[in-house]
Amino acid sequence: MLCILIGVAVITWSFSYSIYSSRKLNGALGRRLNGAHLPSLDIADKHDIPIIFIITPTYYRLVQKAELTRMANTLRLVKQLHWIIVEDFEVINLKTKELFQSSGVSFTYFAQTKRKTTKNHIRGADQRNAALDLIMAIHNPSIPAVIYFADDDNTYSLEIFEQMRYTKKLSMWPVGLSGGRTYETPIIKDGKVIKFLAWNSEKRKFPIDMAGFALNAKVLWTYNPMRFSTDADAGMLETKLLERCCTVEEIEPLADNCSKVLVWHTRTQKPTIYIFDNSLEV
Ligand code: UGA
Ligand code: MN
């Protein structure tokens, strides 16, 4: 059944931007994307606000469509945003593609499997790295843009997108329901981060969940290669990435000096199913 729903393709859907021009990507990324033509995202000259690139790894499970629907309903309300969704599989799911197309969000959807050498406990790193490769291939770094790693199961206020949009280098804010605490957050004094309230803050230089920071896209070029480690210990993905480019002093606190929770590390319960019926797609 699943094989009827899936196809090998990379799908890009431009919504309100009319000046996309196709160009072919070469090399490993081009092969990964099946030689498809991709847009160049030179869209900022039509809009005077920075682009937000959202990177979302995703994988098939019963709640996938529900999670992505919820997320699309949030992202469709954010201006000048491009959503890169990376399916953790050999091929994309054509039904999922329809969901993105009907959402009205500008998006790129492609597949990237987890590499054999990636540690078992690491989720989403190869997919996020492929999305970063894509951004470097299609984006012109002189155009203002910001990158946010938004997992498909979290909950996002609209306010956080407008705040992160103007990130100079690295911005940060509290994440609710994260790290076994009600929230994890940087602690701010005189506008600077002085410490963190977070899980394992003694061992992590940047003890923050993926949902709690955004990067100016320029860091991809300045600190190349900015990619996630695929052999990091559990919980070390975020700090290992940020240690490549930034110092704690450089953190720009958002959400009113980190005094508000605007994103939540929610997790959807796995449904208990007694009757499997594939007549309708869930
Ligand atoms: C926490 C962090 O919030 C993640 O950003 C981090 O990647 C993860 O820990 C980790 O350390 O690996 P958690 O809620 O435990 O996340 O993980 P999930 O939400 O299950 O997965 C993170 C993202 O990866 C999601 O968008 C999910 O759809 C995707 N994922 C998960 C895959 O693409 N493939 C998988 O096999 C599992
Ligand atoms: Mn999660």
Side-chain angles (χ1 to χ4, degrees):
M1 185 64 184
L2 185 63
C3 42
I4 301 171
L5 302 178
I6 56 185
V8 181
V10 56
I11 306 295
T12 298
W13 176 258
S14 61
F15 174 48
S16 56
Y17 312 127
S18 55
I19 54 169
Y20 278 28
S21 60
S22 283
R23 71 191 162 98
K24 195 162 163 42
L25 291 178
N26 298 316
L29 182 65
R31 285 194 295 281
R32 183 68 243 158
L33 298 177
N34 207 26
H37 286 259
L38 289 161
S40 85
L41 297 177
D42 294 356
I43 54 182
D45 54 348
K46 276 218 156 179
H47 304 263
D48 51 9
I49 53 173
I51 300 165
I52 300 178
F53 286 109
I54 301 287
I55 296 179
T56 304
T58 189
Y59 68 112
Y60 180 77
R61 72 274 195 204
L62 277 174
V63 300
Q64 183 186 28
K65 191 177 176 190
E67 304 276 37
L68 292 171
T69 298
R70 200 155 51 96
M71 198 164 172
N73 284 346
T74 303
L75 298 184
R76 76 205 301 175
L77 301 171
V78 184
K79 282 178 289 183
Q80 187 78 337
L81 174 146
H82 190 76
W83 190 13
I84 303 172
I85 313 102
V86 189
E87 187 77 42
D88 181 356
F89 198 51
E90 295 290 340
V91 288
I92 62 163
N93 182 324
L94 295 178
K95 287 284 180 196
T96 309
K97 182 202 83 178
E98 283 172 19
L99 187 162
F100 300 134
Q101 278 177 325
S102 61
S103 73
V105 179
S106 166
F107 75 92
T108 302
Y109 175 41
F110 67 98
Q112 167 70 59
T113 48
K114 184 169 178 166
R115 292 174 200 279
K116 287 194 179 69
T117 49
T118 300
K119 278 193 178 173
N120 272 344
H121 65 263
I122 291 185
R123 280 149 298 183
D126 290 313
Q127 292 70 33
R128 294 185 192 103
N129 285 345
L132 293 170
D133 291 345
L134 176 71
I135 292 174
M136 287 193 82
I138 63 175
H139 179 65
N140 172 351
S142 66
I143 294 174
V146 53
I147 296 169
Y148 181 47
F149 301 103
D151 292 346
D152 59 4
D153 53 344
N154 295 335
T155 306
Y156 307 93
S157 73
L158 293 177
E159 207 182 327
I160 198 61
F161 297 104
E162 293 321 315
Q163 295 205 17
M164 73 171 75
R165 195 187 287 283
Y166 300 96
T167 298
K168 292 184 200 78
K169 186 172 184 185
L170 166 66
S171 58
M172 233 174 244
W173 52 85
V175 179
L177 315 175
S178 183
R181 311 174 57 104
T182 42
Y183 59 86
E184 291 184 296
T185 187
I187 299 292
I188 314 300
K189 192 171 176 224
D190 301 329
K192 292 278 175 203
V193 176
I194 51 162
K195 62 173 184 162
F196 293 83
L197 290 183
W199 170 77
N200 209 2
S201 58
E202 317 76 45
K203 296 225 173 80
R204 301 192 297 166
K205 187 169 175 196
F206 294 93
I208 193 79
D209 185 78
M210 205 69 74
F213 66 90
L215 285 163
N216 188 300
K218 273 198 184 134
V219 301
L220 292 189
W221 282 266
T222 313
Y223 301 93
N224 192 26
M226 275 291 288
R227 298 294 184 275
F228 287 95
S229 154
T230 51
D231 64 357
D233 289 338
M236 301 303 278
L237 269 187
E238 296 87 346
T239 193
K240 283 192 96 170
L241 179 81
L242 297 179
E243 284 168 28
R244 286 172 185 261
C245 62
C246 300
T247 62
V248 170
E249 294 70 47
E250 288 173 317
I251 298 171
E252 202 182 321
L254 300 184
D256 283 351
N257 263 333
C258 296
S259 65
K260 283 186 181 160
V261 172
L262 299 175
V263 300
W264 295 263
H265 184 252
T266 41
R267 298 178 106 169
T268 303
Q269 192 181 349
K270 191 175 175 204
T272 308
I273 307 288
Y274 301 106
I275 299 171
F276 279 89
D277 180 346
N278 289 330
S279 315
L280 292 183
E281 196 219 342
V282 183

